[in-house]
């Protein structure tokens, strides 16, 4: 898996590729992280997400993240959260280390 994060106004766009047919599992993990406390992942950035829009695109998935009112999303914080979340998925399923972002 690999991902790319881009800032779009107050939102962040995250494209995750090379998913090996695990799109739903990855989206479910990100939703679960949002529901947990700020201690759920190293950055806690996912708790600042208000709206998470998911679209499949060319063998990958594009997430559009909108912040909660009065908050700002950090691309670095989201990257840390995704590395943690995607890393946890890699531990739970056999995935080669070269597949991690």
């Amino acid at each position: 898996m690999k991902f790319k994060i881009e800032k779009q106004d107050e939102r962040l766009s995250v494209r995750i590729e090379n998913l090996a047919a695990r799109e739903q599992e990855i989206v479910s993990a990100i939703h679960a992280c949002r529901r947990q406390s700020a201690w759920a992942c190293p950055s806690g950035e996912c708790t600042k997400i208000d709206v998470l829009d998911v679209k499949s695109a060319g063998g990958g998935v594009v997430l559009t993240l909108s912040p909660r009112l009065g908050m700002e999303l950090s691309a670095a914080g989201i990257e840390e959260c995704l590395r943690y979340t995607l890393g946890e998925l890699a531990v739970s399923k056999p995935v080669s280390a070269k597949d991690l972002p």
Side-chain angles (χ1 to χ4, degrees):
M1 281 178 260
K2 63 181 180 175
F3 59 88
K4 179 180 179 182
I5 302 172
E6 294 180 349
K7 184 101 168 134
Q8 297 177 337
D9 299 320
E10 74 280 353
R11 294 182 300 262
L12 293 178
S13 175
V14 181
R15 180 170 180 81
I16 305 173
E17 298 176 332
N18 302 332
L19 301 177
R22 298 177 66 193
E23 294 91 345
Q24 188 55 48
E25 187 177 1
I26 289 165
V27 170
S28 294
I30 293 167
H31 280 294
C33 185
R34 285 178 59 214
R35 287 190 300 270
Q36 296 176 19
S37 73
W39 302 107
C41 74
S43 75
E45 196 71 19
C46 56
T47 62
K48 295 179 183 178
I49 299 169
D50 183 31
V51 178
L52 171 61
D53 183 45
V54 180
K55 292 190 172 122
S56 293
V61 68
V62 176
L63 311 174
T64 302
L65 314 174
S66 299
R68 294 182 188 277
L69 186 62
M71 295 188 161
E72 186 174 333
L73 292 173
S74 158
I78 291 296
E79 179 178 351
E80 185 177 359
C81 184
L82 286 172
R83 288 188 185 283
Y84 174 81
T85 302
L86 297 178
E88 287 292 310
L89 286 175
V91 169
S92 67
K93 297 276 185 176
V95 174
S96 170
K98 68 179 169 118
D99 293 332
L100 290 175

